[in-house]
Amino acid sequence: MFVVTIDQQGSRRVGDRVDELLATLRARGDLYRGSAGVAAPFERTVGDEVQCVLVDPALAVDVTLAVLRLKGWSVGIGAGPVDEPLPASSRAGSGPAFILARDAVEQAKSRLRVVPLVVHGHHEARAREAEAVLVLLGATLQRRTPAGWEVVDAVERSGETRQDEIARRIGVSQQAVSQRLRTALWAEEQAARPVAARLLAAAAVDG
């Protein structure tokens, strides 16, 4: 299992953004109770913190990167077993993965971290490797320009890979689409996501 705990940064300064975050995450359509890969959906746990329990490591990667893109949040992932049966609410959950996620999010709050993300796992060496890949991905996303995001979002929303069609949709040249995708390191991101997911899966089991 993968417990993802997210804590808001600077809530006293900017106000509570939890409802905004939950609305953004739920708009994805794949994080509701009963969705494939979701053991317990995102909910506010305490204060300005939210948490969910996922079965699918690829979904954990997707969610983590989506939150890092928003900025202003620290993310801790605990990869490992949970006490079963798992209650409907993650707030009532217990087990090693919950403890690992708690330790991870507390460490992620460190101001020394450029990307506020920490992964702890049942297999800690694999967890560190998963964290390294996710931090690189997070840093890539944080440096992506609005023009880069426009093209990447158009590709991901439509599922269209033909650059001439993407260019037509957003009103730029095909050459501009190609250049923006290269600058955004989109192909590299897509290649690295499954690697992060495999490492997360490995971190959840005892080595």
Side-chain angles (χ1 to χ4, degrees), residues 38 43 55 74-75 85 102 123 136 144 157 168 178 183 187 196:
V38 179
E43 63 178 326
V55 179
S74 299
V75 182
R102 167 57 50 203
H123 191 302
L136 280 174
R144 188 169 288 167
R157 276 196 304 267
R168 185 190 66 78
S178 178
T183 303

Side-chain angles (χ1 to χ4, degrees), residues 89-105:
S89 171
S90 67
R91 286 178 298 194
S94 61
F98 286 92
I99 297 171
L100 292 167
R102 167 57 50 203
D103 291 343
V105 77

Side-chain angles (χ1 to χ4, degrees), residues 35-204:
S35 298
V38 179
F42 270 109
E43 63 178 326
R44 185 192 294 265
T45 51
V46 59
D48 50 11
E49 181 182 280
V50 299
Q51 183 173 265
C52 75
V53 184
L54 303 174
V55 179
D56 182 2
L59 184 56
V61 170
D62 291 348
V63 168
T64 297
L65 295 179
V67 172
L68 291 176
R69 175 182 176 177
L70 295 173
K71 299 182 181 179
W73 300 91
S74 299
V75 182
I77 302 175
V82 300
D83 292 342
E84 298 191 66
L86 187 69
S89 171
S90 67
R91 286 178 298 194
S94 61
F98 286 92
I99 297 171
L100 292 167
R102 167 57 50 203
D103 291 343
V105 77
E106 290 300 325
Q107 290 184 25
K109 296 176 186 179
S110 169
R111 294 183 180 180
L112 299 178
R113 292 184 175 272
V114 176
V115 177
L117 164 71
V118 172
V119 180
H120 284 322
H122 206 48
H123 191 302
E124 193 58 25
R126 292 292 178 265
R128 288 194 295 271
E129 292 171 351
E131 179 185 309
V133 177
L134 284 169
V135 165
L136 280 174
L137 283 168
T140 299
L141 268 57
Q142 289 181 353
R143 287 162 175 74
R144 188 169 288 167
T145 65
W149 276 118
E150 181 183 31
V151 173
V152 168
D153 287 341
V155 171
E156 293 182 351
R157 276 196 304 267
S158 65
E160 178 62 66
T161 57
R162 288 182 51 188
Q163 294 185 2
D164 57 341
E165 179 61 24
I166 294 299
R168 185 190 66 78
R169 286 174 182 268
I170 65 176
V172 300
S173 69
Q174 184 175 340
Q175 291 77 11
V177 169
S178 178
Q179 181 179 5
R180 290 188 193 184
L181 286 174
R182 286 198 303 271
T183 303
L185 298 176
W186 180 76
E188 291 78 4
E189 175 202 337
Q190 296 306 302
R193 280 176 178 256
V195 177
R198 286 196 294 271
L199 290 169
L200 268 184

